[in-house]
Amino acid sequence: MGMNPGDATPAAPPADVQTAPEPSGAQAITSVGRAGLGARLYQLLAQIPLLLWAAMVILPFLWMIMTALKTDREILTDPFGWPAAFQWENFERAWTTANIGTYFFNTLIVMAMSLTGTLLVSAMAAYVIARFDFPGNRALYLLFTAGLMFPIFLGLVPLYFLMDDLRLLNTYHGLAFVYIAYSLPFTIFFLAGFFKTLPGEVAEAGIMDGASQYQVFFQIMLPMAKPGLIAMGIFNFLGQWNQFLLPLVLMQNESRYVLSQGLNFLAVQQGYNNDYSALFAAMVIVMVPTLIVYIIFQRRLESGLTAGALKG
Amino acid sequence: MNHHKYRLIVPFLLPALLLYSVFVLYPYVQAFYLSLTSWTGVSANKPWVGLKNYTTLLTDGRFLEALGRNGQLLIVLPLGTILVALAFAAMFTQGGTGIMGAGFYRIVYFFPQVISAVIVGILFQYVYNPRYGLLNTTLEWMGLESLTRTWLGDPATILWAIAFVFIWGAVGFYMVIFIASMQSIPTSFYEAAVLDGATRWRQFRDITLPLMWETIRTALIYIAIQALDMFVLIQVMTGGGSTAASRNAEVVAVYMYVEAFTKNRWGSAAAVGVILLILTMLLSVVIMRVTRRETYEY
């Protein structure tokens, strides 16, 4: 829940993140030879708070999934019991009657544009800033990264009127433009650090062979930067998928709502309709894509997200 | 070759610069100007009122109350998050042979960080539900009926119930950062300390803590900035400000949203944005100053 485009999220060079576990103080103690009864007792006692916190994290989510599979009656009469029969039609109702299908579709359209746009635009700018010498280079880098410091709230009111003037309110491409713009500071900052670490010889060899600068970028440098692009792809996917404030202000037409905004709308509505099971099913639907991304890219995501803070 | 390179530099920079200037920089600059007008969004002209929006805000009890809540969060969120995250990180790195199930815990603890704050907010609205919620039911099950509350309906508990959700979601993220920072401390330091007979607590206090101070400072600033925001969680968990107790959880960002999109007082809302910016900057500087220590190179 911590990643939004434009958030003042992790700042500082992303270079050499530690992923491989290194020998820590822990091993040092055992190597000196103190791992005896005390260490075993510690092992056991440590499990208590650890299990407790794990339960605190997992149980609400399990409860959410279980509730999504119950009837509304069961939710009220037996909130923690197992459902008598799995109510898969809750998901159908969430998708159609509660419009999650529409919100899903809207989100996909916006993000197809914004995610590719963010990566392409940032990669081009970061590449030039990282690898070419020209007057104003440093100033540009600072200008972009300064965006990391400003709260999104500062520009919110003028942004709304600007979008109105440009006839971009309630449009897919309008929201995509804003997503890209607010994702630039961190993405450029991260990718510039990445391009700096790439070796220059391959590109030089390409130039010698008569490749144009464009060919060098698209055919040599971009493929080499793939790990960085993937890291930023995941980061921005999560940030833009979960974004709430910007669409809340810029997409006020219900038929254009995106997911987290639509979900909030639904939550307020269901309070009156008492159709909790559809609401919980909708929450599961919105959560599943992020869950899948998290499980597949867990390691890479962790190191990418925490990259900044490490060297802070 | 030299003039060739500008054929790449200019078109490569242009899209980023254009989008950034139009949708980020221009609104930021415009905010300062708007904050000096009494514009209500209807007329084309924006009447200039100087600093009046600011002086009005600073005498508005509702705004000051909201600011006060951010102040309270500013103490509770960093303290709660960092202490819990540090404790867990220490357990994973300083504990003998390594903790059983460490990989599992790490995946679980970090998980809330990738979930939409809207989902988390709605979910906890139901966790806190006085009759059917997970929290009160668990308390009753443990025989602690006296502790049950209408968490989000009680003016005394609403802000803290929401603050807890923030800490719940953030601990895993900062724990992972702290673990990485602890693991980069050379093992030789601990070996020497063990030879000198230092206890585990002394090792943590005299080696780990000072050597990861920079990371803790950074975490402190991030969380402090988030404490000045908190919009999404509060907006969602108070049903968009519709519940009776929601005024007791109104922070500056929520106040601004109401000012702008409910009351159409755009000049005043822009002024709140500027105040938030100034506070963010001021806070970062103050934290940097206050937490300055001798840095250790290793």
Side-chain angles (χ1 to χ4, degrees):
Chain A
M1 51 188 251
M3 292 153 290
N4 295 314
D7 248 11
T9 5
D16 53 293
V17 187
Q18 283 178 333
T19 39
E22 286 205 350
S24 66
Q27 275 92 346
I29 296 167
T30 47
S31 70
V32 181
R34 252 190 41 183
L37 192 65
R40 278 213 204 131
L41 191 69
Y42 177 87
Q43 264 282 345
L44 217 64
L45 286 178
Q47 291 293 330
I48 298 171
L50 288 172
L51 274 173
L52 211 66
W53 191 271
M56 266 168 53
V57 174
I58 295 175
L59 283 181
F61 288 113
L62 283 183
W63 183 59
M64 170 172 118
I65 294 167
M66 213 172 67
T67 307
L69 290 166
K70 286 178 168 179
T71 63
D72 282 322
R73 226 189 107 74
E74 281 174 317
I75 292 174
L76 296 181
T77 52
D78 184 15
F80 302 102
W82 198 256
F86 288 156
Q87 306 293 320
W88 295 108
E89 63 269 23
N90 290 343
F91 287 87
E92 216 178 291
R93 233 170 39 256
W95 189 263
T96 53
T97 328
N99 287 328
I100 288 295
T102 310
Y103 307 150
F104 204 95
F105 181 69
N106 292 342
T107 309
L108 283 188
I109 297 180
V110 172
M111 284 187 59
M113 292 188 274
S114 63
L115 205 54
T116 39
T118 301
L119 291 180
L120 188 68
V121 172
S122 309
M124 294 195 307
Y127 173 67
V128 169
I129 288 172
R131 301 196 71 102
F132 287 84
D133 200 20
F134 58 91
N137 179 317
R138 181 82 193 144
L140 263 178
Y141 178 75
L142 291 175
L143 184 72
F144 278 118
T145 48
L148 287 170
M149 308 232 318
F150 293 101
I152 218 167
F153 273 94
L154 173 61
L156 206 57
V157 169
L159 179 65
Y160 173 78
F161 286 103
L162 174 72
M163 296 289 279
D164 194 20
D165 287 344
L166 297 175
R167 301 275 173 276
L168 289 175
L169 282 182
N170 297 311
T171 64
Y172 296 127
H173 58 286
L175 189 62
F177 282 147
V178 174
Y179 276 8
I180 297 172
Y182 276 88
S183 304
L184 288 175
F186 188 69
T187 314
I188 287 181
F189 162 77
F190 186 97
L191 289 179
F194 202 89
F195 277 119
K196 274 200 185 98
T197 62
L198 294 181
E201 294 84 2
V202 191
E204 278 157 27
I207 297 277
M208 293 291 189
D209 290 346
S212 74
Q213 289 282 10
Y214 284 92
Q215 285 170 322
V216 169
F217 175 73
F218 284 106
Q219 288 168 16
I220 300 174
M221 298 309 279
L222 218 46
M224 277 166 75
K226 213 168 133 195
L229 289 171
I230 292 176
M232 280 302 96
I234 304 164
F235 179 85
N236 285 309
F237 168 80
L238 290 171
Q240 295 176 4
W241 183 268
N242 293 338
Q243 176 56 241
F244 175 66
L245 178 61
L246 289 171
L248 184 69
V249 171
L250 302 177
M251 289 292 221
Q252 302 197 347
N253 178 346
E254 205 231 307
S255 64
R256 290 291 170 97
Y257 278 4
V258 294
L259 277 172
S260 48
Q261 174 193 20
L263 197 59
N264 181 53
F265 178 65
L266 194 63
V268 175
Q269 267 193 328
Q270 299 308 68
Y272 307 118
N273 295 354
N274 287 323
D275 188 359
Y276 299 113
S277 54
L279 174 63
F280 275 80
M283 285 159 71
V284 173
I285 294 174
V286 180
M287 185 182 75
V288 163
T290 46
L291 181 69
I292 293 171
V293 165
Y294 180 58
I295 290 170
I296 298 176
F297 297 106
Q298 191 260 128
R299 261 305 192 188
R300 208 193 291 259
L301 186 74
E302 246 185 34
S303 52
L305 282 182
T306 54
L310 258 182
K311 297 268 162 169
Chain B
M1 165 84 208
N2 208 26
H3 68 278
H4 266 156
K5 85 180 180 189
Y6 285 99
R7 276 200 229 154
L8 179 86
I9 291 175
V10 175
F12 266 39
L13 278 176
L14 219 54
L17 210 53
L18 201 69
L19 284 167
Y20 188 61
S21 311
V22 172
F23 295 108
V24 180
L25 294 181
Y26 171 76
Y28 281 163
V29 174
Q30 182 82 352
F32 288 94
Y33 166 67
L34 266 188
S35 76
L36 301 173
T37 70
S38 66
W39 195 39
T40 48
V42 192
S43 58
N45 67 320
K46 306 177 172 68
W48 180 267
V49 294
L51 292 173
K52 188 162 166 284
N53 286 325
Y54 293 93
T55 50
T56 311
L57 279 173
L58 293 176
T59 50
D60 178 5
R62 185 168 171 177
F63 175 75
L64 294 176
E65 277 172 35
L67 197 61
R69 287 186 199 102
N70 282 108
Q72 290 172 288
L73 291 172
L74 217 43
I75 296 176
V76 172
L77 299 188
L79 213 63
T81 311
I82 290 179
L83 283 182
V84 179
L86 259 185
F88 285 140
M91 285 167 104
F92 285 120
T93 54
Q94 326 269 301
T97 47
I99 293 290
M100 207 171 57
F104 164 78
Y105 288 129
R106 209 175 144 123
I107 291 177
V108 170
Y109 289 12
F110 195 85
F111 181 61
Q113 189 68 26
V114 303
I115 297 299
S116 159
V118 174
I119 296 184
V120 170
I122 299 173
L123 182 57
F124 270 87
Q125 264 189 308
Y126 287 92
V127 169
Y128 286 135
N129 183 298
R131 279 180 65 197
Y132 315 110
L134 203 53
L135 180 57
N136 275 0
T137 322
T138 311
L139 287 173
E140 280 162 25
W141 177 71
M142 296 193 328
L144 298 167
E145 280 93 349
S146 58
L147 291 180
T148 58
R149 296 273 183 288
T150 51
W151 302 99
L152 296 176
D154 185 341
T157 51
I158 180 168
L159 188 63
W160 307 117
I162 297 174
F164 172 80
V165 177
F166 174 92
I167 296 173
W168 172 88
V171 158
F173 177 74
Y174 290 99
M175 182 193 82
V176 168
I177 292 176
F178 291 158
I179 288 178
S181 177
M182 285 176 184
Q183 282 176 339
S184 66
I185 298 171
T187 52
S188 54
F189 288 18
Y190 293 97
E191 282 159 15
V194 168
L195 288 179
D196 290 342
T199 61
R200 207 169 261 151
W201 165 245
R202 293 259 345 233
Q203 291 175 39
F204 180 75
R205 200 192 64 189
D206 294 343
I207 301 173
T208 314
L209 219 47
L211 289 181
M212 63 179 295
W213 191 247
E214 282 302 306
T215 311
I216 295 178
R217 281 173 93 187
T218 313
L220 199 59
I221 291 175
Y222 289 165
I223 303 172
I225 289 174
Q226 287 176 296
L228 280 182
D229 179 347
M230 286 295 280
F231 176 80
V232 180
L233 267 188
I234 292 177
Q235 179 78 2
V236 172
M237 292 186 74
T238 58
S242 65
T243 62
S246 56
R247 266 288 295 278
N248 295 88
E250 187 175 273
V251 292
V252 172
V254 176
Y255 176 92
M256 175 186 166
Y257 186 81
V258 174
E259 205 67 356
F261 295 97
T262 321
K263 297 185 178 166
N264 289 337
R265 292 166 46 164
W266 303 101
S268 168
V272 178
V274 173
I275 292 176
L276 269 178
L277 171 77
I278 295 170
L279 285 177
T280 307
M281 303 237 154
L282 215 62
L283 197 68
S284 307
V285 173
V286 168
I287 295 176
M288 289 304 268
R289 289 264 156 145
V290 171
T291 61
R292 181 167 294 161
R293 298 271 186 287
E294 217 178 305
T295 50
Y296 303 88
E297 298 287 337
Y298 58 91

